[in-house]
Amino acid sequence: MAHKARKRFGQNFLQDHNIINQLLSSLNLSSEQHWVEIGPGLGALTRPLLAENIALDVIELDRDLAKHLRDTFSQSENLTIHQADALSFDFAQVLQSPPQKSHIIGNLPYNISTPLLFHLISFANQIDDMHFMLQKEVVDRICATPGTKKYGRLSVMLQYHCEAENLFDVPPESFNPVPKVMSAIVKLTPHSQPPVTVEDYSDFNTVVTHAFSQRRKTIRNALKKILAEEHFQSLNIDPSLRAEEISLHDYAGLSNILSTIKQ
Ligand code: SAM
């Protein structure tokens, strides 16, 4: 089909078969699995996934592409096509329930990748793992460790929910049209138990958001409206550190103090 790529839908279609094969071989596919693909586009990943005999649900926003997929894969009984916006899609409808969790994959439209990751996290108990193609910059931020420039709100919040692994880089020429930036594949595996205890998730979110909204300030100043000097001392956290130097463990500790003093 002659399809003109739509910029507003973040359409950059994968065309490099080496990259597609490298990605597929990192998935540990087997026929009894259920997969969900977000943004299947022209089917560059859909076709080889279906060849593995897995059950597959795909979610595509573009009506023309959804129709094209229906025509192309009309013989595939194990494929269900949803023409919908993944950002508001109720994934609980299609994801399997524990112990048979589902797998998610997507070469994601870059403009919606962060809100989509947070949306998906709300279904984490039904997800075995997620493989995403994202801007390399975003993958580096997701996987960053404390004390590095890229460490930020996205690193802390996603690492609370998932183990994050940067699998490999993908150069711009692997796509049509060619994007301006480098891409990378990230594997996110939801933790069966969170690595730290958080009493109240909304307090945790508040602390992390406040801390990184003023990342050049010391943590004492960035959080002064919600926490006092003694709270840092009680956790042995140096209040003159900056947000990017505080670990997930310490953010959880600070948020638990906030939950206690609010009561
Ligand atoms: N998977 C294909 C590939 O690798 O060639 C296409 C990838 S392209 C980067 C992103 C795809 O996501 C496009 O097909 C686009 O139409 C679709 N898309 C964009 N926004 C979406 C949304 N909110 N929900 C679902 N699909 C979306």
Side-chain angles (χ1 to χ4, degrees):
M1 167 179 102
H3 175 82
K4 191 169 178 320
R6 294 186 165 120
K7 226 179 173 172
R8 72 177 186 285
F9 291 154
Q11 291 177 353
N12 297 93
F13 300 106
L14 249 180
Q15 55 171 10
D16 181 332
H17 287 279
N18 291 330
I19 296 288
I20 294 172
N21 290 337
Q22 196 178 347
L23 173 56
L24 287 165
S25 62
S26 63
L27 299 180
N28 293 319
L29 287 158
S30 73
S31 59
E32 74 283 2
Q33 294 173 339
H34 173 245
W35 282 74
V36 176
E37 186 190 358
I38 300 172
L42 293 166
L45 298 172
T46 319
R47 186 180 299 280
L49 284 170
L50 285 171
E52 301 289 332
N53 275 326
I54 55 165
L56 180 63
D57 282 82
V58 299
I59 297 145
E60 173 56 61
L61 180 59
D62 186 322
R63 274 174 209 278
D64 294 341
L65 288 179
K67 178 177 182 312
H68 170 69
L69 291 162
R70 271 191 204 103
D71 296 343
T72 309
F73 297 109
S74 58
Q75 306 295 320
S76 299
E77 285 174 6
N78 48 348
L79 173 68
T80 309
I81 298 166
H82 307 263
Q83 193 265 309
D85 183 347
L87 276 178
S88 52
F89 189 75
D90 178 13
F91 283 88
Q93 272 184 48
V94 297
L95 293 171
Q96 295 189 152
S97 295
Q100 302 288 335
K101 299 184 198 176
S102 300
H103 303 261
I104 299 192
I105 187 165
N107 170 12
L108 296 187
Y110 295 155
N111 50 343
I112 62 159
S113 57
T114 308
L116 186 56
L117 290 175
F118 281 106
H119 180 52
L120 285 167
I121 269 170
S122 56
F123 305 96
N125 65 334
Q126 291 174 271
I127 302 172
D128 199 321
D129 56 26
M130 306 184 259
H131 286 78
F132 294 123
M133 171 98 67
L134 299 170
Q135 248 175 286
K136 178 175 163 51
E137 161 70 22
V138 176
V139 172
D140 288 345
R141 286 200 279 127
I142 291 173
C143 299
T145 50
T148 61
K149 276 240 151 55
K150 302 239 161 115
Y151 182 70
R153 176 173 178 263
L154 193 60
S155 333
V156 180
M157 299 309 285
L158 278 185
Q159 290 173 27
Y160 170 69
H161 293 282
C162 303
E163 186 191 324
E165 218 182 318
N166 184 342
L167 294 189
F168 59 90
D169 291 348
V170 181
E173 315 77 66
S174 306
F175 303 90
N176 181 24
V178 177
K180 290 202 179 73
V181 295
M182 192 76 176
S183 302
I185 305 282
V186 67
K187 176 179 182 184
L188 299 171
T189 310
H191 299 299
S192 46
Q193 289 293 323
V196 292
T197 305
V198 163
E199 306 292 346
D200 181 324
Y201 185 74
S202 94
D203 289 338
F204 177 60
N205 193 19
T206 301
V207 167
V208 176
T209 305
H210 266 77
F212 285 103
S213 62
Q214 319 211 6
R215 58 187 297 151
R216 283 196 316 230
K217 288 192 175 176
T218 62
I219 195 80
R220 174 204 286 122
N221 281 343
L223 298 182
K224 75 172 178 234
K225 289 204 176 116
I226 50 176
L227 290 170
E229 183 92 23
E230 76 216 47
H231 299 133
F232 297 99
Q233 280 156 7
S234 69
L235 293 173
N236 266 331
I237 299 172
D238 175 354
S240 67
L241 293 176
R242 288 167 210 283
E244 69 209 37
E245 297 170 297
I246 307 285
S247 67
L248 168 61
H249 175 268
D250 284 344
Y251 278 117
L254 291 169
S255 101
N256 292 341
I257 291 187
L258 177 64
S259 306
T260 313
I261 59 178
K262 271 176 46 193
Q263 281 168 8

